[in-house]
Amino acid sequence: MTVSRVLRNRGDVSEATRERVLEAARSLGYVPNKIAGALASQRVNLVGVIIPSLSNMVFPEVLTGISDTLEDTGLQPVVGVTNYSPEREEAVIYEMLSWRPSGMIVAGLEHTDASRAMLAQAGIPTVEIMDIDGTAIDSAVGISHRRAGRQMAEAIIAAGYRRIAFCGTMMPYDHRAKKRLAGFEEALAKAGLTLADREFYSGGSALLKGREMTEAVLKRTPDVDFLYYSNDMIGAGGLLWCLEKGIDVPGKIGLAGFNGVELLDGLPRRLATMDACRLEIGRRAAEIIAGKHEGVIGGEVIELTPTLQPGDTIRR
Amino acid sequence: MTVSRVLRNRGDVSEATRERVLEAARSLGYVPNKIAGALASQRVNLVGVIIPSLSNMVFPEVLTGISDTLEDTGLQPVVGVTNYSPEREEAVIYEMLSWRPSGMIVAGLEHTDASRAMLAQAGIPTVEIMDIDGTAIDSAVGISHRRAGRQMAEAIIAAGYRRIAFCGTMMPYDHRAKKRLAGFEEALAKAGLTLADREFYSGGSALLKGREMTEAVLKRTPDVDFLYYSNDMIGAGGLLWCLEKGIDVPGKIGLAGFNGVELLDGLPRRLATMDACRLEIGRRAAEIIAGKHEGVIGGEVIELTPTLQPGDTIRR
DNA sequence: ATGAAAGCGCTAACAC
DNA sequence: GTGTTAGCGCTTTCAT
């Protein structure tokens, strides 16, 4: 009826009735029922966002980008967390799709077959984010982690390091870290090198783990002259440890991480890293959803290019 | 019809038909429409969670607690971010309530009148988290920040420090930081002391800001012998700066932060801090919602007691 | 400019 | 154990 028109600023309503309705709504503390509205209109202003974790600052940052961009489109993000489990992801996707959102943003390109099928059949825009090394269901926004790893290896080799070791997470489902390492080793191989050592961890304080892993590697393989970390937090831990031990960085040992986290700005020395374009990825993904919303069709793949920040932990 | 019964494991359905329905659903890639279901059943498995920010690791951690606990209750968190703006919070609450969630979890006790009214009238359990210094709408789970500030001040004074300064955020709506400072100053006053200096910041890398503020304070008020930071990140920045400058910590200057963040474990020295019980708060809040769901009524206020971790940056 | 009526896709209650 | 029916609170379309 008329009330509905007023509340949605639709159709012609006289100023008088309009005022009356608004007043009544306010005094009654009326909150419309979107469930009924959505059912009737077949329109839902929700966007499902699925990420592996909230403990890793990377994802809250992507979320911030999404949230900021969506803010003035009338769309609302709904977040689901998978804990890096494909089965959990499948369940969360199912759950979200059952609310018939206007779009989905999902981290990564690796999903169960069922997940891919559901997303493909949902009839809504889907954006896979963070990674572009693989096949997208619909749209994708991210960087090539393979290339990022390769690039870092090339920079390290160019700087003259030869005994290079790797420290990273053990998580079997962190596909992006895995791709970075693959690209890294690929570039090493091309230069006739192989990893001098490698160390993995899971759980705990990343900064502390970085220290421990660094110590372990250097004890086991004392002639290592470079440590490549799968993320900045463990890299920062390694850096602090080296500085404390009085090790010459980057003279005797060079260090590099990945992500370009803000935290690094406050460290005694700037760790070499690579920006993962997190905010930008979030923004672009949200823009695609918001745009599709207006009628565009067809998947697009956007590759962002991370910049290598040499910092002060690679010799020049 | 029967299909509905199967999909929800309700009522008696023969194994045969059950199988048939399930099979059909699977092959059709059928995803039920929760919108229609919710409208018909007047039940929604969603819990609204409203927090000020995702950039501050504190909130993702609370979310993790909520998410973990809700996981096996069939309830799903839906996150809204306010950026510390009461108006935005009001809008987000309105938006969420319009989806008729089973419960709401909202950070803090300070809200606009309209927000409070909406939550009070929604007829669903509401849990205000993080803080208990004030009046709750329904239930609340948190710590007394006022008391936390007081306790830290008492410990500092007991350790013999007398020229005490404060460094913190400038955010006018960070009520909890404000309460900690109030409690802190209250305890100082009781000992006949006042803050020797104070410095505020907003935005940027917290670690870096911690360094800058520490330097600024010590330059302006060289006889300061203790720095109380409103959070651990800036405290960590201050600690790193002091260590680099060769300042005797905690001999010449003592330091303390707040939150008990994991990061501190990897620092060269353990910053004194106070655990804010973030995970526990998330868990308890989720439990209240999940419990109410089952029929209990009446608001309860749960005060958690943070423990002071003296670390290595307070003299003993 | 306003009202009336027909669903949206489910669930709940009841019949069979 | 299975089918039938009447809504849930809106939006949409069509009349007035």
Side-chain angles (χ1 to χ4, degrees), chain B residues 26 178 301:
Chain B
R26 212 172 304 132
K178 209 176 275 172
V301 174

Side-chain angles (χ1 to χ4, degrees), chain A:
Chain A
M1 54 157 107
T2 316
V3 175
S4 172
R5 279 188 268 255
V6 174
L7 264 24
R8 290 176 301 136
N9 304 310
R10 282 275 175 91
D12 313 294
V13 184
S14 76
E15 199 46 46
T17 28
R18 181 189 180 69
E19 268 313 317
R20 257 185 333 121
V21 172
L22 249 29
E23 170 51 30
R26 212 172 302 132
S27 74
L28 284 157
Y30 173 80
V31 177
N33 186 328
K34 287 226 180 198
I35 301 174
L39 183 59
S41 68
Q42 310 281 349
R43 249 192 298 279
V44 179
N45 70 334
L46 263 26
V47 176
V49 181
I50 299 183
I51 54 177
S53 152
L54 281 167
S55 323
N56 185 334
M57 268 313 279
V58 170
F59 300 107
E61 255 179 86
V62 176
L63 276 185
T64 302
I66 293 174
S67 185
D68 287 352
T69 303
L70 249 34
E71 196 141 313
D72 27 48
T73 65
L75 259 28
Q76 251 249 330
V78 178
V79 183
V81 178
T82 69
N83 290 318
Y84 288 98
S85 149
E87 291 73 35
R88 181 102 198 98
E89 182 184 76
E90 187 177 314
V92 174
I93 289 175
Y94 182 81
E95 177 79 12
M96 289 224 164
L97 287 180
S98 74
W99 284 101
R100 302 292 186 264
S102 291
M104 291 284 280
I105 297 178
V106 189
L109 294 165
E110 284 74 19
H111 317 287
T112 66
D113 287 342
S115 295
R116 298 181 63 90
M118 281 191 283
L119 289 171
Q121 307 220 337
I124 56 173
T126 297
V127 184
E128 289 165 281
I129 55 171
M130 316 295 289
D131 188 7
I132 56 139
D133 292 326
T135 314
I137 299 169
D138 180 14
S139 296
V141 182
I143 65 170
S144 164
H145 287 266
R146 204 172 186 99
R147 191 141 72 88
R150 215 157 48 212
Q151 245 175 286
M152 186 55 93
E154 285 161 2
I156 292 167
I157 295 167
Y161 297 99
R162 289 297 176 271
R163 294 289 292 163
I164 303 164
F166 173 84
C167 295
T169 55
M170 199 146 50
M171 281 193 285
Y173 290 113
D174 190 342
H175 302 281
R176 292 175 288 285
K178 208 176 278 173
K179 287 173 186 173
R180 284 199 297 280
L181 178 54
F184 192 81
E185 294 198 78
E186 194 182 308
L188 288 190
K190 195 169 282 176
L193 298 172
T194 55
L195 279 182
D197 198 355
R198 56 181 79 202
E199 179 85 12
F200 298 92
Y201 82 105
S202 66
S205 159
L207 209 54
L208 184 57
K209 290 292 176 182
R211 287 170 174 272
E212 294 171 357
M213 288 196 286
T214 303
E215 180 163 13
V217 167
L218 293 182
K219 181 164 283 175
R220 192 168 51 219
T221 320
D223 66 335
V224 156
D225 65 2
F226 201 98
L227 282 160
Y228 179 46
Y229 299 91
S230 77
N231 70 63
D232 284 340
M233 278 305 258
I234 54 176
L239 174 58
L240 288 175
W241 186 84
C242 288
L243 294 179
E244 270 168 48
K245 295 295 172 194
I247 297 174
D248 172 15
V249 177
K252 181 152 173 20
I253 295 186
L255 305 171
F258 180 83
N259 264 340
V261 302
E262 207 177 48
L263 171 97
L264 299 185
D265 292 343
L267 254 31
R269 203 160 305 184
R270 292 183 68 95
L271 182 70
T273 189
M274 236 164 149
D275 177 25
C277 312
R278 301 174 301 284
L279 264 164
E280 180 74 4
I281 286 176
R283 274 200 218 106
R284 301 293 284 271
E287 278 166 15
I288 291 181
I289 299 292
K292 290 284 160 69
H293 198 230
E294 313 290 350
V296 194
I297 329 171
E300 46 182 322
V301 174
I302 299 180
E303 175 172 0
L304 268 31
T305 42
T307 47
L308 198 153
Q309 298 157 359
D312 317 310
T313 62
I314 294 188
R315 269 197 302 260
R316 343 194 177 199

Side-chain angles (χ1 to χ4, degrees), chain B residues 27-254:
Chain B
S27 73
L28 284 157
Y30 172 80
V31 176
N33 186 330
K34 286 228 181 195
I35 301 173
L39 182 59
S41 69
Q42 309 282 348
R43 248 193 299 280
V44 179
N45 71 334
L46 263 24
V47 176
V49 181
I50 299 184
I51 54 177
S53 152
L54 281 168
S55 322
N56 185 334
M57 267 312 279
V58 170
F59 300 107
E61 255 179 86
V62 176
L63 276 185
T64 302
I66 293 174
S67 185
D68 288 351
T69 303
L70 250 32
E71 195 142 315
D72 26 48
T73 66
L75 260 29
Q76 250 251 330
V78 178
V79 183
V81 178
T82 69
N83 290 318
Y84 288 98
S85 148
E87 291 73 34
R88 181 102 198 97
E89 182 184 76
E90 189 178 313
V92 174
I93 290 176
Y94 182 82
E95 177 78 13
M96 290 222 162
L97 287 181
S98 75
W99 284 102
R100 303 291 187 266
S102 291
M104 289 285 281
I105 298 178
V106 189
L109 294 164
E110 285 75 19
H111 317 288
T112 66
D113 287 343
S115 295
R116 296 181 64 90
M118 281 191 283
L119 289 171
Q121 307 221 336
I124 55 173
T126 297
V127 184
E128 289 165 281
I129 55 171
M130 316 295 288
D131 189 8
I132 57 139
D133 292 325
T135 315
I137 299 169
D138 179 15
S139 296
V141 182
I143 65 169
S144 165
H145 287 264
R146 206 175 183 95
R147 191 140 74 86
R150 215 157 48 212
Q151 246 175 284
M152 186 55 92
E154 285 160 2
I156 292 167
I157 295 166
Y161 297 99
R162 288 296 175 271
R163 294 288 293 164
I164 303 165
F166 174 83
C167 294
T169 53
M170 200 148 51
M171 281 193 282
Y173 290 112
D174 190 342
H175 301 282
R176 292 175 288 285
K178 209 176 275 172
K179 287 173 185 174
R180 285 198 298 280
L181 178 54
F184 192 80
E185 293 198 78
E186 194 182 308
L188 287 189
K190 196 169 281 175
L193 299 172
T194 55
L195 278 182
D197 197 354
R198 57 181 78 203
E199 179 84 13
F200 297 92
Y201 82 105
S202 66
S205 159
L207 210 54
L208 184 58
K209 289 292 176 183
R211 286 169 175 272
E212 294 171 357
M213 288 196 286
T214 304
E215 180 164 14
V217 168
L218 293 182
K219 180 164 285 176
R220 192 168 51 219
T221 321
D223 67 334
V224 156
D225 66 1
F226 202 98
L227 282 160
Y228 179 46
Y229 298 90
S230 77
N231 69 63
D232 283 341
M233 278 304 259
I234 54 177
L239 173 59
L240 288 175
W241 186 85
C242 288
L243 294 179
E244 269 167 51
K245 295 294 170 193
I247 296 173
D248 172 16
V249 177
K252 179 150 173 25
I253 295 187

